[in-house]
């Protein structure tokens, strides 16, 4: 027999005896002495004597008075003798049979005595314990079966003697079973096995386990189905033997069928087995896994293995060094799973596939999370894969926090032993960009901190967190610090013993943003506050250390460190000076207030020499006071400090005039923007402070100082700002408006011009802070002001907003004319510029395109300037000429250069372009103003807070009043706020959800606000956004222009000086309002808050509902959704924006394009919503959304895209002078059209094979002749975009087909499905052939480059379907051959393109040639292999080709100038039973 992996069990020890060994024994150790056997009775047969004689003849002394039978020295000779004795020829068969029967009978009679049985079961040698008489007799083949049956029949007599825990020497039954193990051979295995199974079925439990466990050593390789059946039956009757049965299954040499049967038996036990036996069962299943059954095993374990997730007492809490850990039942199961997964990679791969296919939260179970964590614990090679899938499932919401809680809380001992793995997984999640992943990582750390209170675990956790604080990943740093803040707030006392570890955070302060600095000092403030309340003086040292660090930082001359100290100072003030602190802290309030006041004084004194530091101090203090009331002593100190505001920044006026009218640095001043008239007693003295060299810097702290002042006023007066309302309407003392005329400007020195710009800059930021402060009075409406006061404040806010637009427009022109660096008023801009999400790449490309466009415009201007009249050079230069020379573009000129769809009316534009400016003419102020010079420094401005957006709700315009001049005059104000809202939304949209082709302003200098704060402000803006969009669109459709005088009068009412120089572009304003509303709506749909808050999304959708939904256009939706449902809302929103798009087609291409993108986003949002609702409906068993809604919206979206493509956009009545700069937009429209069509492959075939070849590439856009096709957007300016998009979409369709045929290859694919796949592949071949062959009539290098690039990629993808073609070649040989023959038409052209590009040294193409040529060569050999494999090799041959160019002309020589080595091209030909094709007909890739 074949010995298995088990070692031989030791034989039973001999009986103890003091008698000396017999002389015949050759053993080194004395054998045990047996008592003398009793004399045989007279009735005893002679068989015993004959048996004894036979043994004596062989050299064995049976009756040894000194112990067991004495065996001869040569046991092999002994066995050979007996074998020969009991074996003979046929002539002696009867006598031998009788002899064998007598021997067996005698042996059976001999062992009837228990003493004799023990003698034959015992060994006479202590060194050879298994050399017993019985074992040697069992190795005699003629009598083996008889002896086995005799012993098995004898076995039940000793069932009652079996005692659990007894030694082997005392247990006769076990001694008998032990002699059956490891026999060299078995004469009749089937008979013996059947007999053994019979005895096994009646054996007591203890012996039954012994026999089952010994089966692999007893029966060896002689395994029959009866063994497995018997074991299965016993397992069903008694689950206590499951471990031994599984052990036998593991060691038995089962064939595939029996192995599968054993596996089925084991799987059936998962639900019913005891928990203590489950680890053995799982270990057996996992170790028995093969490629054929691994999926079944994993699936059954996931379905049937249940984890309660409840904490259970361990079997043993005491762990000894070097011993295996003692777990509860679930812990033991996890340990078994981990050890099994460690050595079987196929298990890990299958688990990853299984879990990766789960897409719904209800499909995930506790065991799934544990499987991921266990594989993660085992480390490489699947660790990275586990991190990816774990993050993906967390982000998708499949793995939820409740599952993790069950894992950690239910198996604490196991988690504690693998604590480092949980920390490592949490660290990975904390470093992810996705918010959900970081939140989940924080949750893991929180649960680990709460669940494991021992010092070692918490020290490990905190040490890991502190280490990651120094990471370069800002997401990771922010998440870790936020987690530390939560822990410090909830468990400050528990963190105090680990303060030495937490102090490590202070080593990384230099790299923290302001937001992270807040979190750091908040952590230490909580610890310091807790330490002060602790009686342990040692613990209170952390408070003293914190104070010392902050004082050092505040006193540092470097602003970087001073900023850290100021943030820390005010965070300490917020924690220790809180007026709402509990009574337990009242005893130390006096000392705390004294220390806080001293710290505040030190901070202010250290900031005297740095205005930026003082700005930080004021801003941080104002942020604290906006949500927290401090101790009265602190508020009193703040009030005294702010008392200097009036004397420092304000000046008295009498009857609307300045008392002192003296000039400042040679500049005369005027009172600008006086909203209170003669009753105003004060003014903001900007000119005096800006022109004074000693005090010019005071204006830098003016906005932040006022912010703190307004915060204190609001906090102390119940939210009212009545005490400082005079500042809202008071005038501003600014330079006289005469300096903005040509003569006045030329008379100014460089320093005076600088003062002029700075005055406007400080005035604009002052007004921004006024809007921030007083807009809260209207926004909150908490009863702090009366209705009359509210109306007055509303009017003044609108006027101040008009002042702000005027000042920024004027400043923009001055900065362009006289470039200078503006002082920084918002120090957080250095960090806020690198806001949460980076700029989009397509925006950068767009900026580059704009830059290149400006270069082209500049060249055109230079050409025109050379042709200008000589008189233009002789006339005196005016300020307008200086503006133009400096780069300032007049409003009309910029409108023509700007790709915006709207412009001023023709008369105004032509009248101002050529007129000569006089010396008294003022600088033209264009509204809306777009200046790159000022935009580059926009981050230095004070930000508008989200509460200012409430101004958008001010107008209450009726439908008949939309044409009123008053509302029209307010539209620039709302446009300004819409642009600010758009910028704020842009900074909050996650990078993966950024919308393509959306214009985005550079991130402004936002005050730190969160998504929740912004959402709270924009909740009520939805109807206002809808109203502004409707009105602006109505005004665009009507096309009526308002006189410029009316616009100027409206600006004059706001106190703006000399409004005659204001130029307002109405159509541009209306168009920009529409586009900004579309931008804001699109970005709101992608904000995380709208995805999670269903009511918020429903409010947004309901705000943009049309008056009536055309139900007829949705006839395929049955039943039609009822009003009030989200299905109905999505349909209404789509119809609303579809109407906007239809109207925009006659106005502006840009506006129509933005409408189309908004419609696309609405469809995407509806698809996500329906997916979530359908899942909930399935789970909760209620009616889901209307079926077919997304399909219907997709079809309508495709119709809208087709409408834009078929629209004539070169009409002279619009502002769209051709599509020269719209290539990327047209490309995106075409992509939407293709993706939403019913059959993309058919549409691609039509466009590539019919429409694109008809495109006239020489006819310039704008000619009166109509195009030769149905798509006016396909012209020479957009041909490249069309060509690229068709290539990309065709390649995408082929890749989808590759995946489809690969998945169906494993299944029995129907003939109809195979034929459909081949036809779809044929369509893609037709498209690529048509697109590549277009290069024969198009000489543009970019088109040739794209053909080579995408042609090579197509061939690469096509190679992946050759297995599919080979599998179905016999049934569809005609289609396959035709398919490959057609593709050769493209490969020949590609070969020619590559050759010509090399010959002409077209460097833009040559880099793409090697990859494409490799693909063509692989294609050649794949075709050859296909035909030879399918016995069609005669249809394939190779030969030399004639060298032809793209036009089909034969080239006389294949040798180019650069002596290329690939002159000869090979050709493949094939046919379906036809004659071979000519050598020059089709090309073949080299």
């Amino acid at each position: 027999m074949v010995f298995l992996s088990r070692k031989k069990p030791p034989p039973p020890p001999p009986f103890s005896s003091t008698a000396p060994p017999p002389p015949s024994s050759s053993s080194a150790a004395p054998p045990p002495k047996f008592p003398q056997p009793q004399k045989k009775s007279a009735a005893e047969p002679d068989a015993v004597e004959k048996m004894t004689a036979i043994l004596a003849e062989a050299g064995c002394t049976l009756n040894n008075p000194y112990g067991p039978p004495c065996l001869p020295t040569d046991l092999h000779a002994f066995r050979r003798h007996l074998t020969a004795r009991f074996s003979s020829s046929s002539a002696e068969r009867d006598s031998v049979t009788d002899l064998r029967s007598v021997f067996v009978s005698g042996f059976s009679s001999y062992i009837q005595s228990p003493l004799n049985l023990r003698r034959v079961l015992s060994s006479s040698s202590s060194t050879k314990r298994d050399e017993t008489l019985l074992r040697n007799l069992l190795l005699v083949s003629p009598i083996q079966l008889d002896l086995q049956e005799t012993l098995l029949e004898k076995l039940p007599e000793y069932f009652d003697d079996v005692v659990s825990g007894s030694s082997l020497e005392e247990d006769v039954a076990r001694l008998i079973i032990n002699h059956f193990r490891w026999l060299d051979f078995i004469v009749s295995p089937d008979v013996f096995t059947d007999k053994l199974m019979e005895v096994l079925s009646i054996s007591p439990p203890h012996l039954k386990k012994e026999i089952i466990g010994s089966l692999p050593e007893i029966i060896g390789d002689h395994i029959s189905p009866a063994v497995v059946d018997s074991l299965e039956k016993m397992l069903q009757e008694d689950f206590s033997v499951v471990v031994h049965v599984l052990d036998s299954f593991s060691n038995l040499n089962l064939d595939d069928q029996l192995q599968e049967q054993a596996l089925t038996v084991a799987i059936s036990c998962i639900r019913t087995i005891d928990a203590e036996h489950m680890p053995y069962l799982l270990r057996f299943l996992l170790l028995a896994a093969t490629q054929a059954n691994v999926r079944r095993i994993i699936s059954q374990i996931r379905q049937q293995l249940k984890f309660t997730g409840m904490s259970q007492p361990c079997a043993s809490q005491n762990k000894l060094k070097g011993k295996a850990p003692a777990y509860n039942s679930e812990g033991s199961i996890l340990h078994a799973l981990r050890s099994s997964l460690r050595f079987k990679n196929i298990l890990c791969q299958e688990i990853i596939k299984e879990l990766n296919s789960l897409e719904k939260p209800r499909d995930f179970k506790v065991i799934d999370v544990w499987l991921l964590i266990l594989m993660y614990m085992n480390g490489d090679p699947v660790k990275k894969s586990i991190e990816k899938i774990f993050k993906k499932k967390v982000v998708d919401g499949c793995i939820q926090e409740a599952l993790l809680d069950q894992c950690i809380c239910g198996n604490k001992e196991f988690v504690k032993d693998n604590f480092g793995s949980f920390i490592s997984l949490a660290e990975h999640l904390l470093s992810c960009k996705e918010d959900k992943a970081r939140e989940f990582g924080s949750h893991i750390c929180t649960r680990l901190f709460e669940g494991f209170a021992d010092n070692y675990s918490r020290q490990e956790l905190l040490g890991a967190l502190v280490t990651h604080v120094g990471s370069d990943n800002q997401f990771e740093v922010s998440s870790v610090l936020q987690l530390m803040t939560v822990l410090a707030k909830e468990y400050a006392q528990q963190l105090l013993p680990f303060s030495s570890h937490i102090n490590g955070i202070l080593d990384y302060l230099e790299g923290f943003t302001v937001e992270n600095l807040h979190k750091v000092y908040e952590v230490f403030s909580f610890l310091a506050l807790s330490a002060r309340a602790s009686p342990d003086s040692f613990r209170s040292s952390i408070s003293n250390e914190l104070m010392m660090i902050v004082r050092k930082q505040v006193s540092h001359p470097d602003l970087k460190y001073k900023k850290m100290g100021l943030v820390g100072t005010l965070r300490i003030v917020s924690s220790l000076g809180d007026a709402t602190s509990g009574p337990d802290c009242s005893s130390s309030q006096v000392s705390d207030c004294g220390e806080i006041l001293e710290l505040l004084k030190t901070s202010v004194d250290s900031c005297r020499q740095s205005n930026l530091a003082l700005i930080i101090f004021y801003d941080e203090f104002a942020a604290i006071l906006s949500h927290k009331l401090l101790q009265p002593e602190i508020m009193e100190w703040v009030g005294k400090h702010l008392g200097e505001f009036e004397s420092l920044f304000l000046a008295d006026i009498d009857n609307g005039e300045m008392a002192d009218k003296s000039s400042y640095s040679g500049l005369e001043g005027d009172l600008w923007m006086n909203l209170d008239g003669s009753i105003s007693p004060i003014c903001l003295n900007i000119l005096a402070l800006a022109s004074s060299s000693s005090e010019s810097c005071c204006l830098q702290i003016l906005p932040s100082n006022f912010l703190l002042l307004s915060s204190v006023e609001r906090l102390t007066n119940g939210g009212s700002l009545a005490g400082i309302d005079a500042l809202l309407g008071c005038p501003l003392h600014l330079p006289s408006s005469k300096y903005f005329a040509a003569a006045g400007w030329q008379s100014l020195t460089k320093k005076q011009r600088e003062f002029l710009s700075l005055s406007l800059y400080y005035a604009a930021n002052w007004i921004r802070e006024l809007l921030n402060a007083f807009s809260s009075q209207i926004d909150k409406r908490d009863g702090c002001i009366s209705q009359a006061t509210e109306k007055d404040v509303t009017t003044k806010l609108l006027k101040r907003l008009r002042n702000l637009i005027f000042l920024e427009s004027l400043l923009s022109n001055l900065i362009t004319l006289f470039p200078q660096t503006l002082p920084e008023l918002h120090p957080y801009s250095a960090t806020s510029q690198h806001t949460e999400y980076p700029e989009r790449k397509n925006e950068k490309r767009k900026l580059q395109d704009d830059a290149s466009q400006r270069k082209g415009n500049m060249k055109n201007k230079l050409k025109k300037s050379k042709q200008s009249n000589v008189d233009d050079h002789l006339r005196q230069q005016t300020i307008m000429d200086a503006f133009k020379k400096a780069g300032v573009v007049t409003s009309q000129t910029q409108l023509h250069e700007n790709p915006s769809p709207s412009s001023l009316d023709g008369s105004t534009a032509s009248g101002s372009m050529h007129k000569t400016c006089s010396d008294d003419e003022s600088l033209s102020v264009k509204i809306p103003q777009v200046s790159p010079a000022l935009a580059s420094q926009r981050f230095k401005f004070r930000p508008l807070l989200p509460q200012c957006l409430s101004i958008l709700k001010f107008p209450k315009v009726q439908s008949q009043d939309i044409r009123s001049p008053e509302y029209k005059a307010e539209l620039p104000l709302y446009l300004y706020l819409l642009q600010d809202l758009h910028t704020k939304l842009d900074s909050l949209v996650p990078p993966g959800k950024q919308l393509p082709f959306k214009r985005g302003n550079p991130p402004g200098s936002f005050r730190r606000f969160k998504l929740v704060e912004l959402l709270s402000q924009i909740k009520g803006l939805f109807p206002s956004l809808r109203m502004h969009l409707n009105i602006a669109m109505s005004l665009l459709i009507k096309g009526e222009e308002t006189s410029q005088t009316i616009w100027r009068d409206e600006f004059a009412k706001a106190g703006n000086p000399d409004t005659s120089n204001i130029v307002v572009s109405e159509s541009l304003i209306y168009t920009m309002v529409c586009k900004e509303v579309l931008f804001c709506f699109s970005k709101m749909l992608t904000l995380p808050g709208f995805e999670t808050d269903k009511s918020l999304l429903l409010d947004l959708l309901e705000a943009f509902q049309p008056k009536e939904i055309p139900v007829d256009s949705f006839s395929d939706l049955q039943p039609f959704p009822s009003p009030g449902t989200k299905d109905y809302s999505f349909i209404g929103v789509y119809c609303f924006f579809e109407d906007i798009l239809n109207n925009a087609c006659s106005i502006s291409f840009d506006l129509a394009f933005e409408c189309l993108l908004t419609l696309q986003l609405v469809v995407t949002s509806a698809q996500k919503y329906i997916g979530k609702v359908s899942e909930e409906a399935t789970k909760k068993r209620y009616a889901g959304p209307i079926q077919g809604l997304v399909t219907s919206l997709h079809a309508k979206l495709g119709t809208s895209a087709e409408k834009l493509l078929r629209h004539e956009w070169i009409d002279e009545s619009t502002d769209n002078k051709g599509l020269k700069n719209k290539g990327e937009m047209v490309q995106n429209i075409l992509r939407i059209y293709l993706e939403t069509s019913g059959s993309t492959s058919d549409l691609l075939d039509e466009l590539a094979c019919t429409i694109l070849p008809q495109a006239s590439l020489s006819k310039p856009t704008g000619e009166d002749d109509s195009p030769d096709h149905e798509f006016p957007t396909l012209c020479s300016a957009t041909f490249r975009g069309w060509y690229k998009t068709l290539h990309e979409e065709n390649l995408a369709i082929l890749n989808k087909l590759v995946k489809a045929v690969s998945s169906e290859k494993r299944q029995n694919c129907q003939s109809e499905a195979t034929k459909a796949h081949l036809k779809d592949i044929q369509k893609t071949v037709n498209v690529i052939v048509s697109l590549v062959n277009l290069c024969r009539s198009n000489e543009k290098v970019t088109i040739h480059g794209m053909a080579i690039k995408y042609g090579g990629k197509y061939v690469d993808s096509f190679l992946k379907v050759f297995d599919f073609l080979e599998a179905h070649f016999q049934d569809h040989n005609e289609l396959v051959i035709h398919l490959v023959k057609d593709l050769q038409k493209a490969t020949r052209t590609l070969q020619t393109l590559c050759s010509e590009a090399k010959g002409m040294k077209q460097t833009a193409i040559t880099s793409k040639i090697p990859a494409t040529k490799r693909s063509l060569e692989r294609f050649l050999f794949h075709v050859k292999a296909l035909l030879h494999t399918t016995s069609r090799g005669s249809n394939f041959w190779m030969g030399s080709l004639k060298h032809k160019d793209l036009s089909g002309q034969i080239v006389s020589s294949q040798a180019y100038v650069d002596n290329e080595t690939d002159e000869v091209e090979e050709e493949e030909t094939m046919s379906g039973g036809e004659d071979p094709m000519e050598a020059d007909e089709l090309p073949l890739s080299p």
Side-chain angles (χ1 to χ4, degrees), residues 1119 1121 1125 1127 1169-1170 1172-1178 1180-1187:
T1125 62
D1127 296 352
Y1169 157 74
I1170 288 178
K1172 293 180 180 179
V1173 173
S1174 299
E1175 180 182 343
E1176 294 178 0
T1178 304
K1180 299 181 180 180
R1181 299 181 180 179
Y1182 62 85
I1186 302 298
Q1187 299 298 325

Side-chain angles (χ1 to χ4, degrees), residues 92-106:
E92 302 176 355
R93 181 174 302 170
D94 295 337
S95 61
V96 170
T97 302
D98 295 339
L99 180 64
R100 186 167 55 243
S101 300
V102 170
F103 182 87
V104 173
S105 176

Side-chain angles (χ1 to χ4, degrees), residues 502-674:
I502 301 175
N503 286 340
I505 298 177
L506 300 176
D507 297 335
Y508 307 104
L509 286 178
E510 297 182 18
F512 289 159
T513 61
V514 175
E515 181 182 2
N516 290 336
L517 284 174
H518 277 271
K519 297 175 182 177
V520 170
Y521 285 110
E522 188 172 2
V523 170
F524 284 96
S525 296
F526 283 131
L527 295 179
L529 188 62
S530 178
R532 285 178 172 243
S534 174
D536 190 352
S537 59
F538 174 76
R539 291 189 171 188
S540 63
S541 63
I542 188 174
S543 176
N544 299 330
E545 292 177 3
L546 180 61
M547 291 291 185
M548 180 179 63
I549 293 173
V550 167
R551 287 191 178 95
K552 285 183 177 180
Q553 291 175 338
V554 167
S555 303
H556 201 285
D558 192 346
L559 179 62
K560 179 179 180 180
Y561 298 97
K562 192 181 292 292
K563 178 170 63 175
M564 299 177 191
L566 292 175
V567 172
T569 296
L570 295 175
R571 180 52 56 185
I572 294 173
V573 171
S574 175
S575 298
L576 302 183
D578 190 359
T580 60
S581 59
D584 55 335
C585 300
S586 59
S587 58
S588 60
Q589 285 181 357
V590 177
S591 60
D592 287 346
C593 287
E595 192 171 2
I596 290 173
L597 292 177
E598 180 185 356
L599 191 59
L600 288 174
K601 293 176 183 178
T602 303
S603 301
V604 173
D605 293 340
S606 66
C607 296
R608 295 295 184 185
Q609 303 301 322
S610 174
N611 287 329
L612 289 179
L614 205 54
I615 292 174
I616 295 174
F617 179 82
Y618 289 151
D619 287 348
E620 292 293 335
F621 216 148
I624 293 175
L625 295 178
S626 64
H627 63 275
K628 182 175 293 188
L629 179 65
L630 301 180
Q631 297 292 339
E633 294 84 356
I634 302 176
M635 298 302 299
E636 182 180 356
W637 178 88
V638 175
K640 291 180 180 178
H641 180 76
L642 293 175
E644 303 174 357
F645 181 87
E646 182 176 357
S647 60
L648 189 59
F649 301 110
L650 303 180
D652 296 332
I653 59 175
D654 185 16
N655 198 20
E657 297 290 337
M658 288 286 294
D660 183 9
K661 296 185 179 182
S662 59
S663 62
Y664 301 91
S665 298
L667 294 175
E668 298 181 7
D670 288 338
L671 290 178
W672 290 29
M673 307 170 183
N674 188 356

Side-chain angles (χ1 to χ4, degrees), residues 1376-1387:
V1376 174
I1377 291 177
H1378 187 265
L1379 192 70
V1380 182
K1381 285 172 59 179
D1382 285 350
L1383 185 56
Q1384 288 183 82
K1385 300 175 184 178
T1387 60

